[in-house]
Amino acid sequence: MRRLRFSLAASLLLTAALAALLGANNWRRARMQHQVDALQAMDVDVKLPVGWIDSIWQRPPAKAYSAIYAPEVADRCDELGVKTYDYWIVY
């Protein structure tokens, strides 16, 4: 049986690639959380998904809800990547 061997350079390259991926995910998650916090300050109900895949690559929220329609909220939802933005008009 033949042994599978890795060189030191291949191991370092793999470690660097994994560190870059996890670092980029951490930056992406922090940026998305900052945008979600800004939307929640405007009384928009939006939450980031939490799952095992989100520890590898953070997904954008699927839905956001608001009491009234506001164009700046819709623009921020589009910027965040929210797929559905629903609102209710309250009188």
Side-chain angles (χ1 to χ4, degrees):
M1 179 185 248
R2 188 171 176 201
R3 287 182 60 187
L4 187 60
R5 300 172 93 181
F6 292 101
S7 67
L8 180 60
S11 297
L12 289 175
L13 185 64
L14 181 64
T15 302
L18 183 62
L21 174 71
L22 293 176
N25 181 44
N26 193 22
W27 172 80
R28 178 179 165 94
R29 183 182 298 119
R31 184 177 55 89
M32 282 188 170
Q33 186 62 52
H34 178 53
Q35 290 175 335
V36 165
D37 291 343
L39 282 171
Q40 287 175 343
M42 291 189 229
D43 294 329
V44 177
D45 183 25
V46 60
K47 293 181 178 80
L48 284 176
V50 178
W52 69 269
I53 193 69
D54 298 313
S55 63
I56 299 170
W57 194 252
Q58 182 67 51
R59 297 172 293 167
K63 293 185 179 186
Y65 302 101
S66 179
I68 59 171
Y69 176 78
E72 62 272 3
V73 172
D75 292 341
R76 284 187 180 226
C77 286
D78 286 341
E79 184 179 304
L80 182 58
V82 175
K83 293 175 180 57
T84 306
Y85 171 55
D86 293 330
Y87 59 92
W88 302 275
I89 298 176
V90 179
Y91 294 103

